[in-house]
Amino acid sequence: ASLFDDKGNLWFATSNGLTRYKDGIFKNFTVKDGLPENNTRSLLLDKLGNLWIGTNEHGLSKYNYSTFQNFTVEDGLSSNNIYSLFEDSKGQIWIGTGNGVNRYSDNNFTNYSNAKGFCNSYIGSITEDKFGKIWFGTDRCAVRYDGLDFKPLTAEDGLSSGLIYLMHGDKNGNLWIGTNNGLDK
């Protein structure tokens, strides 16, 4: 994963730490700098300017450009394997793990790992549509959350495949879903 921040930095999640590139210079952040582990896999820049880093086996980290604050299952996450991160229009951080989805809001985690409506516990992608519904991609289906219930959508509902790689809600109200069989709109 990679992203640009509002300070002109390009960030990369790598298996050897978190890497920042700016003005031709690479700087690598590792466990020596406060990361919970070097194998990073997902990134998110939130609306407050914090950088969120999902790791392979040691949870989630929030970097405020000064220090790393680390979160694990002991803090309320359903898993320490973080695959996807997304901030919704309400400023809530959604965390896709290998054991369901979590939401971070008001400095607390809500664990939805046991919520009905998920066809699989692996959450590889997350997005929000124009109408405020949150969508989750698994390797078996897409799941829509309307604020109350989680509803799965599968190939039987018209998806080209339940193996979801990417999801994006555009400003026109379309949901784009990248699967192993192509792109669905």
Side-chain angles (χ1 to χ4, degrees):
S2 64
L3 62 78
F4 276 104
D5 67 16
D6 54 358
K7 296 169 178 49
N9 299 301
L10 177 58
W11 294 92
F12 301 94
T14 76
S15 60
N16 292 312
L18 175 67
T19 301
R20 179 185 71 202
Y21 177 78
K22 184 173 183 179
D23 299 330
I25 300 170
F26 288 94
K27 173 159 176 45
N28 200 44
F29 297 86
T30 66
V31 293
K32 294 177 185 175
D33 301 295
L35 274 174
E37 81 169 280
N38 290 338
N39 194 352
T40 58
R41 64 168 46 157
S42 54
L43 298 173
L44 169 72
L45 182 67
D46 72 19
K47 293 171 185 155
L48 299 175
N50 298 300
L51 183 64
W52 293 79
I53 305 105
T55 72
N56 188 50
E57 293 181 347
H58 291 90
L60 182 64
S61 190
K62 179 177 150 184
Y63 181 57
N64 65 5
Y65 291 78
S66 177
T67 59
F68 291 92
Q69 180 181 7
N70 301 316
F71 306 97
T72 66
V73 293
E74 293 174 0
D75 299 298
L77 288 171
S78 59
S79 170
N80 285 330
N81 299 315
I82 311 299
Y83 295 103
S84 55
L85 296 165
F86 181 79
E87 183 177 19
D88 68 17
S89 58
K90 298 174 184 171
Q92 302 173 115
I93 307 293
W94 293 90
I95 303 122
T97 77
N99 185 29
V101 70
N102 302 261
R103 184 183 67 201
Y104 183 78
S105 179
D106 298 324
N107 297 317
N108 290 305
F109 290 98
T110 303
N111 179 334
Y112 294 102
S113 63
N114 294 320
K116 292 182 181 177
F118 280 93
C119 54
N120 194 17
S121 60
Y122 164 80
I123 310 298
S125 58
I126 308 170
T127 194
E128 181 176 12
D129 67 22
K130 177 181 175 180
F131 310 102
K133 303 210 177 4
I134 308 296
W135 293 82
F136 307 96
T138 78
D139 57 3
R140 293 191 187 151
C141 72
V143 178
R144 183 188 71 209
Y145 178 61
D146 62 8
L148 298 173
D149 297 308
F150 295 91
K151 179 182 177 182
L153 296 168
T154 66
E156 293 176 2
D157 298 305
L159 289 177
S160 62
S161 171
L163 182 53
I164 311 295
Y165 293 124
L166 306 165
M167 301 182 83
H168 175 72
D170 70 22
K171 63 182 177 182
N172 297 322
N174 299 307
L175 180 66
W176 297 88
I177 303 174
T179 76
N180 65 318
N181 286 337
L183 183 64
D184 293 344
K185 176 181 172 187

